[in-house]
């Protein structure tokens, strides 16, 4: 007897719900980390430079992730292919979009944590509440670019193969 197959949309929303729960759990983990740092009087200018540099990096990665989402969407819409996306191509596109979205989310967390620290009178870029989301923002962005590059490469291979068949 065959077991009933769960429709694709249901599987997608179950996976999406699981990802959201993981992100919420990650944020809960970050907020549960202890802290005990103070800004020494002699380090005020250095700390200000660190803070400025930190926020510039976060803003740059947010901008790059947003541009990448637009680039992925533009490539998918304007690509030279009369057929729709195959399942492997679709998985790569959705994964790349998802990783960009994760980068934006981690950017939000990376921005939120130093604001919280400053509200409490300190800033330490080595604190895990800042270090972890900052690294997660960068690596999820980089992974999205790698997956997108793989999608483009795969799409070009399919396009080259179809052009080769037409010329024969």
């Amino acid at each position: 007897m065959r077991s009933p197959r769960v429709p694709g949309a249901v599987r997608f929303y179950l996976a999406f719900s699981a990802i959201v729960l993981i992100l919420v759990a990650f944020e809960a983990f970050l907020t549960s980390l202890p802290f005990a740092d103070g800004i020494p009087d002699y380090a005020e200018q250095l700390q200000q430079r660190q803070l400025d540099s930190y926020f510039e990096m976060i803003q740059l990665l947010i901008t790059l992730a947003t541009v990448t989402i637009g680039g992925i969407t533009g490539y998918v819409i304007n690509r030279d292919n009369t057929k729709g996306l195959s399942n492997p191509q679709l998985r790569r596109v959705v994964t790349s979009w998802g990783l960009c979205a994760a980068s934006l989310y981690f950017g939000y967390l990376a921005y939120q944590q130093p604001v919280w620290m400053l509200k409490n009178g300190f800033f330490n870029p080595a604190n895990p509440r800042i270090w972890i989301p900052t690294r997660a923002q960068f690596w999820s962005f980089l992974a999205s670019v790698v997956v997108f590059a793989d999608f483009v490469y795969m799409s070009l291979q399919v396009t080259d193969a179809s052009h080769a068949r037409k010329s024969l």
Side-chain angles (χ1 to χ4, degrees):
M1 185 186 259
R2 294 177 77 183
S3 63
R5 184 171 163 96
V6 178
V10 172
R11 287 192 314 251
F12 172 79
Y13 285 109
L14 286 174
F16 181 74
S17 299
I19 290 169
V20 168
L21 288 174
I22 289 169
L23 292 175
V24 169
F26 182 75
E27 186 171 5
F29 165 74
L30 279 178
T31 57
S32 70
L33 293 174
F35 71 94
D37 294 326
I39 299 175
D41 292 338
Y42 64 88
E44 192 170 318
Q45 287 182 339
L46 175 63
Q47 294 253 318
Q48 184 60 46
R49 286 185 182 159
Q50 286 177 329
L51 191 59
D52 292 342
S53 175
Y54 177 80
F55 280 122
E56 286 175 16
M57 181 191 64
I58 298 303
Q59 290 170 348
L60 175 64
L61 286 171
I62 288 172
T63 301
L64 289 172
T66 305
V67 167
T68 303
I69 289 173
I72 294 166
T73 305
Y75 186 83
V76 168
I77 291 172
N78 296 315
R79 67 192 180 90
D80 182 29
N81 194 348
T82 57
K83 291 196 234 176
L85 294 173
S86 67
N87 283 337
Q89 288 175 319
L90 185 61
R91 279 192 297 271
R92 284 173 176 83
V93 167
V94 170
T95 300
S96 189
W97 275 328
L99 287 166
C100 279
S103 181
L104 292 172
Y105 173 75
F106 291 128
Y108 161 75
L109 286 179
Y111 181 78
Q112 182 185 34
Q113 295 307 316
V115 169
W116 170 82
M117 285 182 169
L118 292 172
K119 179 181 168 204
N120 288 293
F122 73 98
F123 176 72
N124 179 1
N127 187 298
R129 291 181 77 144
I130 288 182
W131 189 86
I132 293 171
T134 302
R135 297 314 177 270
Q137 180 190 22
F138 171 76
W139 287 108
S140 59
F141 168 71
L142 185 62
S144 74
V145 171
V146 168
V147 172
F148 179 55
D150 184 44
F151 166 73
V152 170
Y153 177 76
M154 184 179 167
S155 293
L156 292 175
Q157 296 300 320
V158 170
T159 303
D160 288 346
S162 66
H163 285 308
R165 277 188 242 118
K166 287 179 185 177
S167 65
L168 291 177

